[in-house]
Amino acid sequence: MGSKQIILEFLSSADVKINGNRFFDIQVNDERFYDRIISQGTLGIGESYMDGWWDCKDLAEMMFRTLRAGGHATFSKTLVNLLHVIQAKLLNSQTRDRSKKVTDEHYDVGDDLYMALLGPYSQYTCAYFKDTDDLGRAQENKMDLICRKIQLKSTDRVLDIGCGWGGLAKWMAEKHGCNVTGINLAKGQVEYANKHISDPRVNILNMDYRDIPEKIEGKFDKIVSVGMLEHVGYKNHRIFMETIKKVLTPEGLLLLHCCARDISGTIVEPWIEKYIFPGAIVPSPTQLTKAFEGLFVLEDWHNIGAHYDPTLMAWMKNLDAAWPRFKEHYGERFYRMFRYYLLGCAGAFRARDMELWQTVYSHNGLVGGYNSVR
Amino acid sequence: MGSKQIILEFLSSADVKINGNRFFDIQVNDERFYDRIISQGTLGIGESYMDGWWDCKDLAEMMFRTLRAGGHATFSKTLVNLLHVIQAKLLNSQTRDRSKKVTDEHYDVGDDLYMALLGPYSQYTCAYFKDTDDLGRAQENKMDLICRKIQLKSTDRVLDIGCGWGGLAKWMAEKHGCNVTGINLAKGQVEYANKHISDPRVNILNMDYRDIPEKIEGKFDKIVSVGMLEHVGYKNHRIFMETIKKVLTPEGLLLLHCCARDISGTIVEPWIEKYIFPGAIVPSPTQLTKAFEGLFVLEDWHNIGAHYDPTLMAWMKNLDAAWPRFKEHYGERFYRMFRYYLLGCAGAFRARDMELWQTVYSHNGLVGGYNSVR
């Protein structure tokens, strides 16, 4: 069976047509598309989109349909993926040096673009669309949910591991009056946070999480890590948990908010690895539980993966609105890369091919029980 | 160091005194107590209590204090425990025949006693003390919580694996109008349920969960298993999940409600094994996630272990109130056995030495997301 036939057959199982007239149908502009996908798998799908070989008006819905029909398994069995798996197994992709490479490449590029994309609070993580369809309100919901889950009090000393541009740290200090230390490996984000946050209760530091016990004195009553575990790597999950164990007060609470997948893997999808998050690998349930067994008691596990779909769709809308300002600087190929990233991921979360977990932990179980909220 | 000295030293770390005058202090009636505990570990603690060698007014609080101080680890390292571990590793403690032995011994003894103990709805599982301190109301809460979590509709066909005396099946049929099939290996419970439940929508069958796909036709929209996974055994968790996978409709939901521990083990505490639940072994987070990876998507994980403390305390109160009726038949040693079981477990859940999880699963993730409720 030729490349085109294989792809058409698969697409028909997802009810997606080539050159059809529905928004989620694919318009092929270059017939080399079929061979490239068969030889390069999911990397080829993304790169051929960046090159303009195909288009799709409702890319998220197309991705949803094809993933729900089994696209992930179908197009992940290429040599490209296999090489990534071997590399991930042989190396530690998230050593100190490699971790710094990620932050330099992805997070240190274009604060102005991210600010336009993310909207108020500069939250580059999944929002919580409970009783709202507005991104800003949903990000407030998310930050409020985190504060309620960790039972935040004004007297708490808080640590935010991987604090981004400091939006959550600022929120916690302003709304709850607590002292928050944020750490982040991305120098640009740290500089931005220190420039824009004048609240003396917020302290943003440029450092690796592995250095916390040595470089920061004392313990924290509450520790949160929102959208950072994805960069820790499955080989380092345990040391991540052990590090937190050392600096959390005996009655303290830990909240982890992270993207995840239902099946254990050792690599992220190769296109995402190459263009968006080098070295990223999201945990599975077995990988996560193995990381905390014997260290922490699981108090709560909340799956809000479906909320990443509207989050990403809202970011895309923001990008489109702001694009005239950025067009000249970044160019068309960059736009197509970001569009494929945002809408492709929206479709993946819609298809439940990806998850988003908020998990809460205590050292030995809170006496009286933990009251989980939603 | 002699036995007595070792024990006194440990107890002082838990602020429990021998022959002290606080309710949670221990009154030693027989000095052989110390040697028996050192040689027999936790089994010796329970058996010496049954023999009247020691007493404690507030046994639950004493258990809470000693477990919180590390009692589990301290008194589990005996030869008795080691032999249990070896046996559990070599054998499958929950084969069809052995599973039948458990139900014959524990669940088929004295329906009248259990009815007096458990109160209305005959729920032999953890209640949900949300906004109430009344056991009956808390059991209604629990059943209501389960129905809300599985999004129960009148048109749903429901399977209840390990349905006890049919209380939840009856509730679902009466409150929601659905058809419920309950299966149970305990013949006495099945007979009791069939005698007392006249609702034609409820169907209680005497069978092993492994026989469901062959013996029951069609699939189920919702599957619940409340307090049964504890008897499945870690070697059979996977086949338990695979069996459910086969008989759950594509958009169906599964809810598991079970006791658990934070650390993986292969045996239950030997006294519980010998007198209360032979062959029982509760799952850990790593054991549970390993069992469902690749089969189900985890939609929600709710830890309500702290609610088992008031549940067990209420059962003890019920037993005490009804005891005059049962005293002659069961005798003093049986009473002490049940008191040690109920209050010891209450203390264990209070100490968070044990957990109680409600987890919810779908085959591939519900499109639109699962709305977790509390």
Side-chain angles (χ1 to χ4, degrees), chain A residues 220-278:
Chain A
F220 295 91
D221 303 298
K222 307 290 160 64
I223 300 180
V224 298
S225 184
V226 184
M228 216 292 270
L229 193 63
E230 297 90 329
H231 300 295
V232 168
Y234 74 104
K235 287 187 181 172
N236 309 305
H237 285 162
R238 187 76 185 176
I239 197 165
F240 181 75
M241 291 292 195
E242 284 168 346
T243 304
I244 292 171
K245 179 92 185 162
K246 285 181 197 158
V247 295
L248 183 67
T249 58
E251 299 304 312
L253 285 173
L254 162 67
L255 179 139
L256 301 181
H257 168 121
C258 71
C259 292
R261 290 202 73 220
D262 301 299
I263 313 266
S264 298
T266 53
I267 58 157
V268 76
E269 185 281 303
W271 185 86
I272 289 283
E273 157 82 28
K274 185 166 173 184
Y275 293 97
I276 310 296
F277 298 117

Side-chain angles (χ1 to χ4, degrees), chain B residues 117-328:
Chain B
L117 187 80
L118 305 176
Y121 311 107
S122 54
Q123 291 292 297
Y124 195 17
T125 50
C126 179
Y128 190 47
F129 285 84
K130 191 180 176 182
D131 306 325
T132 185
D133 53 11
D134 174 70
L135 176 66
R137 185 75 201 95
Q139 289 294 9
E140 289 178 6
N141 278 352
K142 189 260 308 277
M143 293 190 288
D144 177 60
L145 181 66
I146 289 171
C147 294
R148 285 188 289 125
K149 283 184 175 179
I150 59 170
Q151 305 172 352
L152 199 59
K153 297 195 307 271
S154 62
T155 50
D156 283 336
R157 187 185 182 213
V158 184
L159 175 66
D160 181 352
I161 303 176
C163 62
W165 292 276
L168 178 60
K170 187 167 175 269
W171 172 280
M172 285 173 167
E174 282 174 5
K175 298 274 171 183
H176 298 270
C178 33
N179 284 299
V180 188
T181 301
I183 69 153
N184 188 340
L185 207 51
K187 227 173 174 172
Q189 288 190 329
V190 173
E191 277 163 17
Y192 182 96
N194 283 325
K195 197 171 142 191
H196 288 83
I197 304 173
S198 55
D199 195 316
R201 294 166 297 195
V202 176
N203 188 22
I204 309 288
L205 306 169
N206 183 220
M207 59 185 282
D208 190 294
Y209 70 88
R210 285 161 277 217
D211 294 327
I212 299 166
E214 276 167 41
K215 293 200 179 162
I216 305 179
E217 214 166 314
K219 298 201 174 194
F220 295 90
D221 303 298
K222 307 291 160 63
I223 299 181
V224 298
S225 185
V226 184
M228 216 293 270
L229 193 63
E230 298 89 329
H231 301 295
V232 168
Y234 75 102
K235 287 188 179 171
N236 309 304
H237 285 161
R238 188 76 186 175
I239 198 166
F240 181 76
M241 291 292 196
E242 284 168 345
T243 304
I244 292 171
K245 180 93 184 161
K246 285 180 196 159
V247 295
L248 183 68
T249 57
E251 299 304 312
L253 285 172
L254 162 67
L255 179 140
L256 301 180
H257 168 122
C258 71
C259 292
R261 290 202 74 222
D262 301 299
I263 312 266
S264 298
T266 52
I267 59 157
V268 76
E269 185 281 303
W271 185 86
I272 289 284
E273 157 81 28
K274 185 166 174 183
Y275 293 97
I276 311 295
F277 298 116
I281 168 67
V282 304
S284 70
T286 53
Q287 287 170 333
L288 185 62
T289 53
K290 224 172 118 185
F292 70 74
E293 177 163 332
L295 296 175
F296 291 106
V297 167
L298 177 70
E299 297 283 13
D300 188 35
W301 192 318
H302 190 187
N303 191 340
I304 59 166
H307 293 246
Y308 228 141
D309 174 12
T311 305
L312 286 149
M313 296 305 284
W315 290 347
M316 185 68 226
K317 216 170 146 189
N318 285 345
L319 181 66
D320 276 336
W323 190 243
R325 282 197 282 137
F326 297 106
K327 198 173 172 174
E328 208 177 330

Side-chain angles (χ1 to χ4, degrees), chain A residues 155-374:
Chain A
T155 50
D156 283 336
R157 187 185 182 212
V158 184
L159 175 65
D160 181 352
I161 303 176
C163 61
W165 292 274
L168 177 61
K170 186 167 176 269
W171 172 279
M172 285 174 167
E174 281 173 7
K175 298 275 172 182
H176 298 270
C178 32
N179 284 299
V180 187
T181 301
I183 69 152
N184 189 340
L185 207 51
K187 226 172 175 175
Q189 287 190 328
V190 173
E191 276 163 17
Y192 182 97
N194 283 325
K195 196 170 143 192
H196 289 82
I197 304 174
S198 55
D199 195 316
R201 294 166 296 194
V202 175
N203 188 21
I204 308 289
L205 306 169
N206 183 220
M207 58 185 282
D208 191 293
Y209 69 88
R210 284 161 277 218
D211 294 327
I212 299 167
E214 276 166 41
K215 292 200 179 161
I216 306 181
E217 214 165 315
K219 298 201 173 195
F220 295 91
D221 303 298
K222 307 290 160 64
I223 300 180
V224 298
S225 184
V226 184
M228 216 292 270
L229 193 63
E230 297 90 329
H231 300 295
V232 168
Y234 74 104
K235 287 187 181 172
N236 309 305
H237 285 162
R238 187 76 185 176
I239 197 165
F240 181 75
M241 291 292 195
E242 284 168 346
T243 304
I244 292 171
K245 179 92 185 162
K246 285 181 197 158
V247 295
L248 183 67
T249 58
E251 299 304 312
L253 285 173
L254 162 67
L255 179 139
L256 301 181
H257 168 121
C258 71
C259 292
R261 290 202 73 220
D262 301 299
I263 313 266
S264 298
T266 53
I267 58 157
V268 76
E269 185 281 303
W271 185 86
I272 289 283
E273 157 82 28
K274 185 166 173 184
Y275 293 97
I276 310 296
F277 298 117
I281 168 68
V282 303
S284 70
T286 54
Q287 287 170 333
L288 185 64
T289 52
K290 224 171 119 186
F292 70 74
E293 177 161 332
L295 296 175
F296 290 107
V297 167
L298 176 71
E299 297 283 13
D300 189 34
W301 192 318
H302 190 188
N303 191 340
I304 59 167
H307 294 245
Y308 229 141
D309 174 12
T311 304
L312 287 150
M313 295 305 284
W315 290 346
M316 186 67 226
K317 218 172 145 187
N318 285 346
L319 181 66
D320 276 336
W323 190 242
R325 282 198 282 136
F326 297 106
K327 200 173 171 173
E328 207 175 333
H329 178 68
Y330 288 102
E332 179 69 6
R333 192 174 154 89
F334 179 93
Y335 174 79
R336 290 183 74 89
M337 176 184 89
F338 241 79
R339 187 172 193 266
Y340 183 77
Y341 157 44
L342 296 176
L343 298 182
C345 286
F349 283 99
R350 194 178 301 170
R352 305 295 304 274
D353 186 63
M354 295 281 296
E355 307 290 354
L356 191 293
W357 299 330
Q358 284 191 342
T359 48
V360 178
Y361 310 83
S362 62
H363 282 288
N364 301 303
L366 290 196
V367 171
Y370 173 77
N371 187 26
S372 65
V373 293
R374 291 296 180 255

